[in-house]
């Protein structure tokens, strides 16, 4: 379906020829749209208009008998996308400037809701604005550390999310104002330092009850540590680290960047270990730290290297929505 829509037309700035920074990859978009299982005639709410490309894909998928409501906080992007949709004759697409956590009550109920930006919990308004049996596909936070995201697909059953499955995927955090600096996470960061090499390194520790000087000390040690190369196959990094942060019991999950690489790991009394995207590990503290990490890898391998799709998604009700977590 996405191949039928001209990606460059929607995602390129015609004046500079540069891609609009909010563009998502066509492969990712195709996967998310396929997960949502959208049929002609449906009413779809999308959160995160961005370039307008995904709304064009959704408009084509639901056809003229369907309807697409698209929301974004960025007034300029909305104006640009609305103009492109008008030119394309997509009269069944409407686009609004609003914080998408509120959804768009006027157009409810929706058969499908699809998010391209990560809310801090699955917003209650999305659930309330869903028809019974509707499907929501959206990135979510799976734990309160920076960048710990998954895409979930769930069905709304009598006003509650049900039958949820998890899938790998990460999108920018939802914010109430437009953001242009994508260089570091916006939330949950406990310390940011500049390394000796002049790179920006940061750490995010679950619970966030760590003293600032302790967080700074850990991130500096990780940035200076010699990497254990080829510790895990990089193609398995996402599955292993998703398991790690959801299952670690002897420590607190962390996400961090050493300035040259980002990853997930844990910290405890003995030390800290971080598994980077390239499959290497940086660690500081006692040797026992690496033993704990190896035990986690052994348990993951023993369990058949479960990916996100092997995890059960469990929701807890909060004041403003539903907090998902993955159970292996
Ligand atoms: C990954 S981009 C979306 C890509 C888009 N679907 C496309 O086809 O190009 C994420 C978008 O979410 C928007 N966004 C961030 N926070 C938001 C919020 N609270 N409500 C609505 N949109 C938001 C950003 O402005 C950005 O345009």
């Amino acid at each position: 379906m996405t191949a039928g829509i001209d990606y460059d037309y929607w995602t390129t700035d015609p004046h500079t020829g540069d891609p609009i920074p909010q563009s998502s990859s066509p492969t990712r978009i195709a996967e998310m749209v396929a997960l949502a299982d959208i049929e002609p005639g449906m009413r779809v709410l999308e959160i995160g208009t961005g370039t307008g490309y995904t709304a064009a894909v959704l408009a084509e998928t639901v056809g003229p008998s369907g309807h697409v409501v698209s929301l974004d906080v960025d007034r300029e992007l909305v104006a640009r996308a609305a103009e492109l949709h008008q030119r394309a004759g997509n009269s069944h697409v409407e686009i609004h400037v609003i914080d998408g956590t509120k959804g768009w009550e006027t157009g409810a109920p929706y058969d499908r809701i699809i998010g391209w930006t990560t809310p801090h919990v699955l917003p209650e308004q999305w659930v309330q604005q869903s028809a019974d049996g509707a499907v929501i596909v959206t990135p979510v936070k799976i734990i309160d550390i920076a960048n710990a995201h998954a895409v979930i697909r769930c069905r709304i059953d009598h006003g509650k999310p049900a039958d949820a499955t998890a899938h790998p995927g990460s999108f920018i955090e939802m914010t109430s104002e437009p953001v242009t600096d994508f260089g570091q996470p916006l939330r949950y960061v406990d310390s940011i330092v500049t390394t000796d090499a002049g790179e920006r390194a940061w750490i995010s520790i679950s619970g966030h009850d760590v003293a600032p000087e302790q967080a700074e000390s850990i991130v500096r040690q990780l940035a200076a540590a010699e990497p254990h190369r080829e510790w895990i196959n990089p193609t398995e990094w996402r599955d292993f680290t998703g398991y790690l942060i959801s299952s670690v019991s002897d420590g607190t999950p962390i996400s961090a960047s050493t300035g040259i690489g980002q990853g997930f790991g844990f910290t405890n009394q003995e030390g800290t270990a971080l598994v980077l995207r390239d499959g290497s590990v940086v660690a500081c503290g006692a040797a026992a730290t690496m033993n704990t990490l190896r035990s986690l890898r052994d348990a993951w391998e023993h369990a058949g290297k479960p990916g996100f799709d092997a995890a059960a998604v469990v929701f807890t009700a909060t004041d403003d929505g539903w907090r998902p977590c993955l159970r292996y």
Side-chain angles (χ1 to χ4, degrees):
M1 169 53 67
T2 55
I5 313 283
D6 185 344
Y7 183 72
D8 291 339
Y9 170 78
W10 292 92
T11 61
T12 308
D13 181 332
H15 304 297
T16 63
D18 293 335
I20 309 283
Q22 287 84 355
S23 312
S24 302
S25 95
T27 313
R28 196 91 275 270
I29 291 167
E31 286 165 2
M32 299 266 290
V33 172
L35 260 185
D37 209 5
I38 299 165
E39 291 169 17
M42 284 187 165
R43 294 186 64 78
V44 179
L45 173 66
E46 83 160 354
I47 323 294
T49 311
T51 64
Y53 173 74
T54 47
V57 172
L58 297 172
E60 181 89 0
T61 312
V62 298
S65 62
H67 196 79
V68 178
V69 177
S70 180
L71 312 176
D72 204 294
V73 275
D74 191 320
R75 191 168 293 281
E76 284 180 22
L77 285 176
V78 166
R80 175 187 174 280
E83 194 191 322
L84 293 182
H85 279 283
Q86 194 184 15
R87 264 194 248 154
N90 288 339
S91 55
H92 57 314
V93 175
E94 55 180 286
I95 311 181
H96 302 281
V97 184
I98 186 174
D99 179 346
T101 50
K102 301 183 177 78
W104 189 257
E105 177 77 51
T106 320
Y110 300 101
D111 303 302
R112 299 289 184 264
I113 297 182
I114 186 160
W116 307 104
T117 171
T118 313
H120 77 282
V121 293
L122 177 65
E124 177 61 15
Q125 280 98 332
W126 297 7
V127 174
Q128 293 303 325
Q129 293 172 22
S130 294
D132 200 36
V135 167
I136 300 180
V137 172
T138 182
V140 288
K141 290 197 74 62
I142 50 172
I143 184 170
D144 64 344
I145 53 175
N147 295 349
H149 301 164
V151 168
I152 54 158
R153 176 195 202 274
C154 63
R155 187 169 289 284
I156 301 308
D157 183 11
H158 295 91
K160 290 184 179 169
D163 303 332
T165 51
H167 311 265
S170 183
F171 288 80
I172 63 161
E173 301 267 349
M174 290 185 85
T175 49
S176 53
E177 298 292 331
V179 168
T180 46
D181 178 4
F182 302 110
Q184 70 192 37
L186 302 167
R187 296 200 183 93
Y188 305 104
V189 173
D190 295 295
S191 178
I192 304 174
V193 302
T194 302
T195 66
D196 293 345
E199 306 289 346
R200 198 160 45 169
W202 53 263
I203 189 164
S204 171
I205 305 177
S206 176
H208 311 286
D209 49 6
V210 56
E213 54 282 5
Q214 191 190 347
E216 180 177 334
S217 162
I218 298 172
V219 71
R220 285 197 185 283
Q221 289 178 67
L222 290 176
E226 194 60 40
H228 302 245
R229 302 266 179 217
E230 298 178 15
W231 191 85
I232 195 163
N233 186 334
T235 61
E236 297 177 339
W237 173 82
R238 191 171 288 283
D239 285 346
F240 173 64
T241 54
Y243 174 87
L244 185 164
I245 59 174
S246 303
S247 319
V248 63
S249 53
D250 182 16
T252 304
I254 62 163
S255 61
S257 168
T258 61
I260 50 164
Q262 199 238 300
F264 296 99
F266 65 89
T267 186
N268 63 19
Q269 301 282 32
E270 260 139 10
T272 305
L274 183 72
V275 188
L276 299 172
R277 271 177 195 279
D278 67 1
S280 61
V281 166
V282 285
C284 55
T289 308
M290 282 305 291
N291 292 339
T292 302
L293 186 62
R294 273 188 217 101
S295 303
L296 275 160
R297 186 179 58 183
D298 289 348
W300 176 69
E301 286 175 350
H302 188 70
K305 299 186 176 178
F308 283 76
D309 55 350
V313 183
V314 180
F315 289 99
T316 313
T318 67
D319 288 349
D320 51 357
W322 301 85
R323 179 180 299 283
C325 84
L326 305 191
R327 297 264 161 80
Y328 287 84

